[in-house]
Amino acid sequence: SKAAGKLTTGLTGLAVNSTPHISLTALYDRTLKLLARMPADAKYRQSTEAIVKERLAAVNSEPDISRLEKRINCGQIEEVVQQAERELQLARNFLAWKPWEPLIGQAPPNQWKWPL
């Protein structure tokens, strides 16, 4: 669809994505597969999974790019693709970091107190 026929995003360094539905579907599918490898009670998994599933449903049900952009409400579709790429990388990092596991040692006193 050539992203509704637009020639430019108007954003420096961000080219028009000629196949945003294909890009987003692939990115969201890969992100969901990574999230499925995390514990079901992990807050990151729960929050991200909800957003990704909602956006994937929008991508699958809305063929018009401008309406899809309005429905997702996070900028131009190219920005949404960029956000999906970054979320996929973050999910990969979370799998490596495993923040849901217990601490290796005891946290220092006042570690979580703010303000001190």
Side-chain angles (χ1 to χ4, degrees):
S1 76
K2 289 286 184 201
K6 67 178 165 182
L7 301 174
T8 179
T9 62
L11 300 170
T12 302
L14 188 58
V16 172
N17 185 320
S18 61
T19 57
H21 286 83
I22 294 169
S23 299
L24 287 170
T25 299
L27 290 164
Y28 290 151
D29 284 344
R30 291 195 318 224
T31 301
L32 289 171
K33 285 179 185 171
L34 288 174
L35 293 171
R37 295 170 49 196
M38 297 177 189
D41 62 344
K43 295 301 178 197
Y44 173 75
R45 174 184 173 170
Q46 293 171 352
S47 301
T48 306
E49 206 168 46
I51 292 167
V52 170
K53 285 180 177 179
E54 180 180 317
R55 289 187 178 186
L56 182 57
V59 168
N60 289 332
S61 65
E62 184 54 69
D64 182 81
I65 301 296
S66 61
R67 288 198 303 256
L68 181 59
E69 287 174 343
K70 286 183 179 102
R71 191 165 163 188
I72 293 176
N73 195 28
C74 283
Q76 295 182 53
I77 202 67
E78 291 80 7
E79 293 173 288
V80 175
V81 170
Q82 196 172 59
Q83 293 162 14
E85 290 168 344
R86 291 176 179 166
E87 196 64 56
L88 176 61
Q89 185 56 52
L90 183 59
R92 287 179 182 136
N93 289 344
F94 265 58
L95 270 177
W97 297 334
K98 297 178 173 65
W100 48 82
E101 290 185 352
L103 295 175
I104 293 171
Q106 190 69 342
N110 298 320
Q111 170 73 36
W112 311 113
K113 184 178 176 188
W114 182 261
L116 293 177

